[in-house]
Amino acid sequence: MPLEAAARLVSELTSRGYNAEREAVTRLTAAENPNAALERVLEEVPDDALVVRVDHVEAALATTDAGGTTRSDSPASEPAEPTPSVSTGTSETVDSDPTDQSPVETEGSSSIGRSTGPATAERSADPALRSLEITGDMTGESTGTGEYEDFVSVFRDRLDRLGGKLRSRVNHRPATAIQEMPGGSEAAMVGLVNDIRSTASGHWLIELEDATGTFPWLVMKDREYVDLVDELLCDEVLAMEGTLADDSGIAFVDSMYFPDVPRTYEPSTADRHVQAALISDVHVGSQEFMEDAWNAFADWLHTDQAQHVEYMLLAGDMVEGVGVYPDQDEELDIVDIYEQYEAFSEHLKKVPGDIEIVMIPGNHDAVRLAEPQPGFDEELREIMSAHDPQIVSNPSTVTLEGVSVLMYHGVSLDEVIAELPEEKASYDDPHKAMYHLLKKRHVAPQFGGHTRLAPEERDYLVMEEVPDIFHTGHVHKLGFGKYHNVLAINSGCWQAQTDFQKSVNIDPDAGFAPIVDLDTLDVTVQKFS
Ligand code: D5M
Ligand code: FE
Ligand code: ZN
């Protein structure tokens, strides 16, 4: 079983809301039919379990012949491909199809520099030229009580706001009104994807839901729109147009529309040459935290070469945290969470004091795991106060000299990568997974049994405005490219490969700092490892 298969199994597990014990993954990959074994485990694992443990796997393997003789042809058995360590998405062609079948990236200039750290220079930035505004920070605004009504209002808000981007594009009717229309009528609906099923004859049935009810839409296997079905996620908002069947019980899809980013979107740029470092996943407190690389980065920031870097954005996982994944404690260098933040603060102090820092939390940080995640509490803010960073929620938007940057840690990327076909989203091209979030105008569309979503009155995860830059982390892979002129950039990490990542063949891009020119939105990658 190639190691690639283990990574696939892990992303499949994560997409269903489970973390995994390393040994559990090893057992699963060793089964003769790992996919069948996985399905069996998922059926048998208790509803409230968050972690798939080795005993779950053993129990499932004992009660099944999932170890049987046929090997599935799922992607899990594909051979591993050689992977470039940095993916910059410069190779795709521009697609002018107005139906928007696939994300498009345009070529941005980029280069990778090996930073050796020339002599330290005086930084001469003029803070008076700067501007930094935060929007969408929900810290202190949480209204959720976890009650059923909160789920109703968060989805209603999502449908209202994302539906608003679609309603002018189709002649839509509520689900209940469509049910009453005569057979053969043309109909259109804006709704949340409630269910996606394949039919016995290979067509696709997509159930859309709006405030009045649900209606089933059939995508025929020979229609052009069938190519879009494999990128749909449950709970995303879209519009469908089609023809009602004779009995009006179903409609045949003729077109599909996504909230999307307009193809003609023109991002704002800064009026002067100024740069921002977009990083994430520092993981201080882990034995794998790459202190030398971090120090080299901090030293470089003091050099002439970095004199235009006036902003630093940190997209989560400042520290390694405690108890985030099974067996994580075996790889901790600092076991106390507060001491981890104290150490992180010391590392942050090495960054030139005049650089403006904005940070959001990630899944390893000491805030609630469910998204949106509020910014750190007072005690942690106090620990990190030396550099006076702006600490805001995950997600939040920061506008730097007119350039809006949507910062989101990126946990949903695991899900997008697991659900979509390899060529549309993969760990090697994390920015392509981000394109799908832009197209859906939502940072974490899918709400599954275990998806960590904190229902609020408002859906803070909706991308109301198109950002000029979309910045995520989490998957520990560096990749960037443009989608309808929006720069999508997933920063790498400052943590070398952990034992778990090794066991599932995740090869992180560690010790890179992507630097964005805010006047051109060009990216340069500096390497420090
Ligand atoms: O996760 C970094 C990446 O590694 C992200 O793609 C999830 C994956 N990962 C790491 N450890 C686990 C376990 N134990 N189960 C499932 N997935 C895992 P980060 O959370 O940023 O460290
Ligand atoms: Fe991380
Ligand atoms: Zn993370």
Side-chain angles (χ1 to χ4, degrees), residues 113-121 123 275-279 292-312 350-352 355 494 512-517 524-528:
R114 180 81 174 91
S115 299
T116 47
T120 308
R123 292 178 54 87
Q275 297 178 311
L278 270 49
I279 60 167
D292 292 347
W294 179 269
N295 289 341
F297 171 45
D299 287 348
W300 175 78
L301 287 171
H302 286 274
T303 68
D304 237 3
Q305 245 193 320
Q307 59 171 310
H308 298 294
V309 180
E310 297 188 33
Y311 302 96
M312 184 159 129
K350 299 171 192 162
V351 170
I355 292 186
W494 300 86
F512 295 93
I515 310 291
V516 181
D517 285 354
T524 331
V525 177
Q526 298 292 336
K527 188 177 188 312
F528 299 101

Side-chain angles (χ1 to χ4, degrees), residues 281 283 317 363-364 409 474 476:
D281 298 274
H283 289 266
D317 286 0
N363 58 314
H364 283 252
H409 178 58
H474 181 64
H476 293 206

Side-chain angles (χ1 to χ4, degrees), residues 29-268:
T29 45
E32 252 187 85
N33 187 340
N35 299 301
L38 174 72
E39 288 308 321
R40 191 62 189 226
V41 168
L42 291 173
E43 269 166 35
E44 296 199 356
V45 80
D47 281 347
D48 57 351
L50 290 172
V51 175
V52 170
R53 300 190 191 287
V54 66
D55 47 299
H56 296 138
V57 177
E58 272 171 0
L61 290 177
T63 58
T64 179
D65 60 351
T69 47
T70 47
R71 173 164 286 199
S72 141
D73 61 354
S74 89
S77 50
E78 274 175 20
E81 277 177 26
T83 53
S85 71
V86 179
S87 166
T88 57
T90 51
S91 56
E92 292 221 340
T93 50
V94 176
D95 167 9
S96 58
D97 178 353
T99 55
D100 206 358
Q101 303 237 349
S102 61
V104 173
E105 49 192 344
T106 51
E107 191 163 321
S109 75
S110 64
S111 60
I112 297 183
R114 180 81 174 91
S115 299
T116 47
T120 308
E122 269 303 305
R123 292 178 54 87
S124 55
D126 177 2
L129 297 173
R130 295 179 185 167
S131 77
L132 188 160
E133 269 168 55
I134 305 284
T135 43
D137 176 18
M138 52 71 67
T139 309
E141 307 281 319
S142 181
T143 53
T145 55
E147 300 290 319
Y148 173 75
E149 290 71 35
D150 292 335
F151 286 94
V152 175
S153 56
V154 78
F155 283 113
R156 183 160 299 163
D157 182 58
R158 179 184 301 192
L159 183 58
D160 279 352
R161 290 197 289 142
L162 290 179
K165 301 185 188 304
L166 294 161
R167 288 190 189 105
S168 59
R169 289 157 61 185
V170 290
N171 186 15
H172 64 98
R173 294 277 174 275
T176 44
I178 295 174
Q179 289 157 10
E180 303 302 319
M181 288 166 79
S185 314
E186 295 292 310
M189 179 177 166
V190 173
L192 284 153
V193 174
N194 203 28
D195 193 24
I196 308 165
R197 277 195 308 270
S198 61
T199 69
S201 38
H203 307 303
W204 291 93
L205 197 65
I206 295 146
E207 191 176 70
L208 287 191
E209 178 173 1
D210 66 13
T212 68
T214 63
F215 196 79
W217 294 80
L218 193 75
V219 181
M220 308 290 285
K221 61 183 173 198
D222 50 355
R223 295 300 300 264
E224 51 175 327
Y225 286 96
V226 79
D227 289 343
L228 293 176
V229 172
D230 62 14
E231 61 186 61
L232 297 184
L233 294 179
C234 278
D235 306 313
E236 70 173 288
V237 175
L238 47 75
M240 289 195 181
E241 225 168 27
T243 315
L244 287 186
D246 289 345
D247 66 358
S248 301
I250 199 166
F252 301 102
V253 175
D254 292 323
S255 350
M256 254 190 240
Y257 302 85
F258 296 85
D260 220 326
V261 174
R263 280 172 182 278
T264 50
Y265 181 71
E266 283 183 34
S268 302

Side-chain angles (χ1 to χ4, degrees), residues 12-34:
E12 186 62 37
L13 283 166
T14 356
S15 82
R16 313 237 192 146
Y18 296 101
N19 291 323
E21 265 181 7
R22 195 183 320 145
E23 188 56 25
V25 177
T26 311
R27 293 290 173 89
L28 272 174
T29 45
E32 252 187 85
N33 187 340

